[in-house]
Amino acid sequence: MALTSFRDRFEQTGLTWPDIAPANFPFAPAVRIGNIVYISGQIPEAGDDIAYAGKVGETISLDEAKQAAAICAANILFWLSRELDGDLSRVVQVAKITVYVNAVAGFSDYSTVGNGASELLLEILGDKGRHARAAVGMAGLPLNVPVEVDAIIHVR
């Protein structure tokens, strides 16, 4: 699958390509070491807004949590694109993502929430988006978001 039209594929998902300003944090949104890019945990941030806030199973439905995870994955692609000077054809493979889910006690559908991020990466990057994954429950996340996703990506 040619990656020259990744922005076209992205727009077809119904999401808007992220435009995120780097925050003044004591860490970077992306760090490249050799042929590996590490993407810091991304939250469902859309422009200047947080698209979803709350706990899954309380104020956030399973479908909303999947959508929040997809937005997190979109933000991963945004920072990856910036790290690669806009050229996602340099992606060799998404190696691993971790999906953190802020959920109520007793919630167990973490994998379904994680599918929101996984499916978006596959849709945009094709087989290069296939990855190992962990999806885990958390008692809370920054800004009370329902989902946070980080990634390790091999590039050339």
Side-chain angles (χ1 to χ4, degrees), residues 55-56 98-105 107 110 135-142 145-148:
K55 279 193 176 291
V56 181
T98 304
V99 180
Y100 306 92
V101 182
N102 175 12
V104 296
F107 182 82
Y110 304 110
V136 296
M138 310 302 289
L141 288 171
V145 297
V147 184
E148 181 175 354

Side-chain angles (χ1 to χ4, degrees), residues 68-123:
I71 294 169
C72 295
N75 293 343
I76 286 169
L77 291 172
F78 171 81
W79 290 115
L80 179 62
S81 177
R82 285 200 41 170
E83 192 65 29
L84 298 175
D85 300 319
D87 185 5
L88 287 184
S89 71
R90 293 170 54 194
V91 171
V92 173
Q93 193 71 48
V94 177
K96 183 168 193 291
I97 69 170
T98 304
V99 180
Y100 306 92
V101 182
N102 175 12
V104 296
F107 182 82
S108 62
D109 217 352
Y110 304 110
S111 186
T112 300
V113 174
N115 288 346
S118 295
E119 289 165 1
L120 182 78
L121 292 171
L122 285 168
E123 187 169 348

